[in-house]
Amino acid sequence: MPKRPCAIAFTPDEATIICGDKFGDVYALPLFCSDGNKDHLSHIETDKAGQKIHAAEDLFVPSATLRTVHTQRNQEALKHQQNQNSKKSVKNTISFERELLFGHVSLLTDVICVPVPRSTTTNLQDRTYIISADRDEHIRVSRGMPQAHIIEGFCLGHTQFISRLCIPRWNPQLLISGGGDDYLLIWDWLSSRILHKVDLRKLIVDYFEYQYSVRSDQEQESTLAIEGVQWNGPIAVSDIFAFQVKTVSGGLRKQVALACEGIRGIFFFDFGEDGRMIHAGTTTTAAAITALSLSSDHNCIAYAIGSSERITSQLDSVGEGESPKGTSIGILEYDTMKGTWEKNDSLMNTINNALGSIPTDMDEQGRLYGSESFLHSLETLRKRGQDENHLT
């Protein structure tokens, strides 16, 4: 890709990849190479190690000779150049199919592709839209291919960067968006209208207050958990999933799972018939969530833990069945009888034993050693000088 990809989505027919990059451009790429691209790739000769074999004219040949170079240092440099068979510096070209659909004037953060059913009284096909978000608080609604350059509207209501977009499958006309603000927004995105706002800051502060209250007096005195009650740090939404799970009566329960960067927990919401999100519970994890993944049957959630954390002292206790020094993958399964999400310790241990070769060295606060040097934080999307009272 011309620039580093940051978001991908599939078209409804699952034949095309919609890819957004950090430069703000959105491309369409075929999932499978066409015959022309296959022929092009098959004519590239490689050696046993899989490296491309360059023709003689591709090899670097210095123009200077020992007759034109006189100083000892330059002669040594010339001999070094003559001994190496490095090819000429050639600008890399993109050899696969791609189509530039549209672009943002800011850093792109997320993109989704959603089909919306036409009127049931007509035989017209569903209309597809591409929804994209950027660092400048914009949510753009564009038509699907081949008219992606046409803007249907903008959803404006965030004051900080937007990091995640989510479309509930049971109602594709709703959009849940979150990022660096203290809240989530629920949209009727076809009309660019805000329906509801979910206060995340109050939810997180209440969560810390509860975790502090259930600790013993000795634990309260020996830790800095009291800071959790007064916590005023920044919020950055890292994952949003909307799904349906079966109930005891055989019906479907609409839920939303949410994770925030630096927070040791997964927040669950029930999605009401009026479109409001009601907090249904929180699952504590041993360290900060780095990624969430939902199974195809929506009954299992896998999460990775152990990223760099801004919040370290508020939640020193670890979840039941977890060890911050030995756990990197967690598993939650939905208990239909209880109506809650429960940890599957046996499956967690099996997976983490199989992943024993992956570095999981963490400090006593659940952070990977050296993680701040190679993990890109969502907080870097926040513009400098904005909302400094929430920066810690």
Side-chain angles (χ1 to χ4, degrees):
M1 296 297 293
K3 300 293 181 180
R4 181 162 63 90
C6 62
I8 60 172
F10 282 98
T11 53
D13 59 5
E14 298 184 351
T16 304
I17 302 173
I18 306 298
C19 179
D21 63 26
K22 288 295 184 180
F23 199 69
D25 293 331
V26 178
Y27 291 87
L29 305 92
L31 180 60
F32 300 102
C33 293
S34 64
D35 294 337
N37 269 344
K38 290 180 181 179
D39 293 340
H40 170 76
L41 295 175
S42 63
H43 284 89
I44 299 178
E45 299 183 15
T46 58
D47 58 15
K48 294 182 179 179
Q51 299 295 324
K52 178 180 176 182
I53 299 176
H54 300 281
E57 58 269 19
D58 291 334
L59 298 178
F60 175 71
V61 179
S63 57
T65 65
L66 292 175
R67 293 183 179 181
T68 59
V69 176
H70 303 290
T71 65
Q72 183 177 359
R73 176 179 295 179
N74 289 344
Q75 287 179 353
E76 292 178 357
L78 177 59
K79 290 180 180 179
H80 178 70
Q81 293 177 358
Q82 291 174 337
N83 289 335
Q84 66 180 3
N85 285 330
S86 60
K87 63 184 178 66
K88 293 181 180 180
S89 177
V90 180
K91 185 177 180 179
N92 293 330
T93 58
I94 302 175
S95 58
F96 54 85
E97 297 178 56
R98 76 212 183 277
E99 178 186 356
L100 178 61
L101 300 181
F102 59 87
H104 284 240
V105 295
S106 179
L107 190 151
L108 191 140
T109 55
D110 202 6
V111 60
I112 53 179
C113 190
V114 55
V116 177
R118 297 283 187 99
S119 173
T120 56
T121 60
T122 65
N123 294 324
L124 297 177
Q125 295 181 346
D126 297 349
R127 170 170 286 183
T128 302
Y129 295 86
I130 300 175
I131 307 177
S132 51
D134 61 29
R135 184 190 183 191
D136 286 344
E137 310 96 37
H138 300 143
I139 300 176
R140 167 177 166 162
V141 180
S142 308
R143 290 188 184 180
M145 299 171 57
Q147 297 179 317
H149 60 281
I150 299 179
I151 301 176
E152 289 287 340
F154 285 93
C155 296
L156 304 178
H158 285 277
T159 60
Q160 292 289 346
F161 65 88
I162 303 165
S163 55
R164 290 295 178 267
L165 302 174
C166 178
I167 296 285
R169 291 188 178 183
W170 60 82
N171 190 346
Q173 297 186 17
L174 293 181
L175 170 68
I176 306 172
S177 62
D181 288 305
D182 292 351
Y183 49 82
L184 294 178
L185 291 180
I186 304 175
W187 304 82
D188 177 357
W189 57 269
L190 283 172
S191 60
S192 302
R193 189 163 52 94
I194 298 176
L195 300 179
H196 304 290
K197 181 183 291 189
V198 180
D199 190 347
L200 290 182
R201 180 163 296 279
K202 183 178 185 305
L203 176 66
I204 295 174
V205 171
D206 290 346
Y207 172 56
F208 285 148
E209 288 179 349
Y210 170 76
Q211 290 296 327
Y212 178 71
S213 65
V214 298
R215 309 178 75 163
S216 64
D217 295 338
Q218 183 178 359
E219 288 177 324
Q220 292 178 7
E221 293 176 358
S222 62
T223 67
L224 298 177
I226 187 62
E227 294 182 4
V229 180
Q230 304 170 344
W231 177 75
N232 196 35
I235 294 176
V237 176
S238 57
D239 279 296
I240 305 175
F241 280 102
F243 50 90
Q244 297 180 102
V245 291
K246 292 183 179 180
T247 62
V248 178
S249 61
L252 292 176
R253 181 183 181 183
K254 302 172 183 177
Q255 284 204 312
V256 175
L258 171 76
C260 294
E261 186 178 76
I263 306 295
R264 300 182 182 184
I266 303 174
F267 300 92
F268 292 95
F269 300 85
D270 284 327
F271 208 93
E273 295 298 331
D274 58 352
R276 295 182 182 274
M277 290 171 52
I278 303 172
H279 182 229
T282 303
T283 298
T284 303
T285 59
I289 303 292
T290 61
L292 287 180
S293 182
L294 186 66
S295 64
S296 58
D297 61 2
H298 300 172
N299 287 326
C300 181
I301 292 178
Y303 58 90
I305 61 175
S307 71
S308 59
E309 296 184 57
R310 300 184 311 278
I311 305 169
T312 57
S313 60
Q314 294 89 333
L315 212 56
D316 293 315
S317 62
V318 300
E320 182 181 355
E322 291 190 84
S323 171
K325 289 187 178 297
T327 302
S328 58
I329 300 294
I331 300 294
L332 297 179
E333 288 185 336
Y334 185 72
D335 190 324
T336 305
M337 299 301 296
K338 296 180 179 179
T340 58
W341 288 88
E342 305 292 338
K343 294 172 184 175
N344 188 327
D345 295 335
S346 61
L347 184 56
M348 288 166 54
N349 293 333
T350 301
I351 294 177
N352 287 298
N353 290 335
L355 300 178
S357 59
I358 297 180
T360 57
D361 292 335
M362 303 181 188
D363 59 18
E364 66 278 0
Q365 297 168 339
R367 298 180 300 182
L368 285 172
Y369 288 116
S371 59
E372 295 182 356
S373 62
F374 66 86
L375 290 179
H376 292 276
S377 166
L378 288 175
E379 191 58 36
T380 59
L381 295 174
R382 196 180 302 274
K383 297 177 182 178
R384 295 183 179 180
Q386 289 191 2
D387 206 17
E388 290 184 352
N389 60 313
H390 286 330
L391 297 181
T392 56

